[in-house]
Amino acid sequence: DAGITQSPRHKVTETGTPVTLRCHQTENHRYMYWYRQDPGHGLRLIHYSYGVKDTDKGEVSDGYSVSRSKTEDFLLTLESATSSQTSVYFCAISESVVNTEAFFGQGTRLTVV
Amino acid sequence: AQSVTQLGSHVSVSEGALVLLRCNYSSSVPPYLFWYVQYPNQGLQLLLKYTSAATLVKGINGFEAEFKKSETSFHLTKPSAHMSDAAEYFCAVRGGDNFNKFYFGSGTKLNVKP
């Protein structure tokens, strides 16, 4: 299995509070991704990174920010959590553009109450 | 942006029957194509991938998929379903407008009846 660790695995937080999810990889892969998974929507891309300090938005980036100061860590921050951000969040990594798949972490279940 | 369409959010087959899960993508430029499987409370695992070599791709657990450029399709099949195949399956595309991104379909839940 690819070395990807998401933390925390479960979190309950209150509306309006900031929340940070962490993704840590030991594979030295260039690309890192944050997705959210909701029933009927599959996986939707929030943000991704194509190198240290290089990030870009995905399709559902509003209300989220990311940072990547080291190759191995990719942080997702919910600036002010809302109930609509209750979801399962997955981190994924990929080595390069050509010929390579994404490897996924085990997910973080976030509940905003 | 790329779009990925999986026909049928739920598919039910009998054990031993053919499994066919459909996937169509929108890109006019052939992308990289993938099928993933997700078991409850787990992350996604790669079943197989198409990367412009053979159009018929074999994956793990007896699954295979055929890339058809003219139909912009990448359907997943397995000749004989097993109870352990019950899971959710996602088709994914890398490329089209942006090869940095992976785009996922909405998923198909496969139920296998004894």
Side-chain angles (χ1 to χ4, degrees):
Chain A
D1 289 345
I4 308 169
T5 305
Q6 291 186 232
S7 58
R9 293 291 314 279
H10 301 271
K11 186 170 182 67
V12 180
T13 193
E14 293 186 349
T15 299
T17 60
V19 176
T20 295
L21 308 183
R22 180 182 184 235
C23 178
H24 178 79
Q25 60 144 330
T26 58
E27 306 296 324
N28 200 36
H29 284 357
R30 177 183 175 190
Y31 292 86
M32 299 186 76
Y33 304 84
W34 277 108
Y35 288 89
R36 59 178 291 172
Q37 183 178 25
D38 305 288
H41 292 278
L43 278 81
R44 293 181 291 175
L45 181 64
I46 305 171
H47 283 279
Y48 69 99
S49 169
Y50 48 96
V52 174
K53 293 189 169 54
D54 293 322
T55 64
D56 202 355
K57 295 179 179 180
E59 286 69 41
V60 291
S61 60
D62 287 349
Y64 301 95
S65 63
V66 290
S67 67
R68 190 170 179 199
S69 58
K70 299 184 290 184
T71 298
E72 57 266 35
D73 289 325
F74 192 34
L75 304 180
L76 176 71
T77 298
L78 287 66
E79 294 143 9
S80 177
T82 68
S83 58
S84 65
Q85 294 176 311
T86 292
S87 186
V88 180
Y89 291 85
F90 285 99
C91 174
I93 65 174
S94 177
E95 185 173 7
S96 69
V97 170
V98 179
N99 221 13
T100 58
E101 62 269 36
F103 298 94
F104 282 82
Q106 291 298 297
T108 295
R109 184 173 295 275
L110 177 68
T111 303
V112 183
V113 297
Chain B
Q2 181 71 255
S3 71
V4 182
T5 303
Q6 291 185 239
L7 280 179
S9 58
H10 291 80
V11 169
S12 186
V13 301
S14 297
E15 192 173 20
L18 171 72
V19 176
L20 171 60
L21 304 181
R22 299 177 187 273
C23 174
N24 289 86
Y25 62 92
S26 63
S27 174
S28 59
V29 175
Y32 300 127
L33 297 157
F34 309 86
W35 276 99
Y36 286 85
V37 61
Q38 185 182 35
Y39 298 100
N41 300 314
Q42 294 188 23
L44 279 70
Q45 304 170 30
L46 182 71
L47 271 180
L48 50 79
K49 64 181 180 182
Y50 167 77
T51 55
S52 75
T55 57
L56 182 62
V57 181
K58 294 188 184 299
I60 62 172
N61 302 335
F63 284 93
E64 61 183 36
E66 186 173 8
F67 170 65
K68 291 188 176 180
K69 182 179 176 181
S70 62
E71 299 177 8
T72 59
S73 70
F74 190 56
H75 302 330
L76 182 70
T77 60
K78 182 174 180 178
S80 177
H82 191 272
M83 297 297 292
S84 61
D85 295 328
E88 189 160 20
Y89 293 80
F90 292 93
C91 180
V93 168
R94 185 174 199 174
D97 61 336
N98 185 338
F99 276 80
N100 287 332
K101 299 182 183 180
F102 291 84
Y103 299 90
F104 285 80
S106 56
T108 299
K109 285 189 177 176
L110 177 66
N111 177 49
V112 182
K113 300 175 290 186

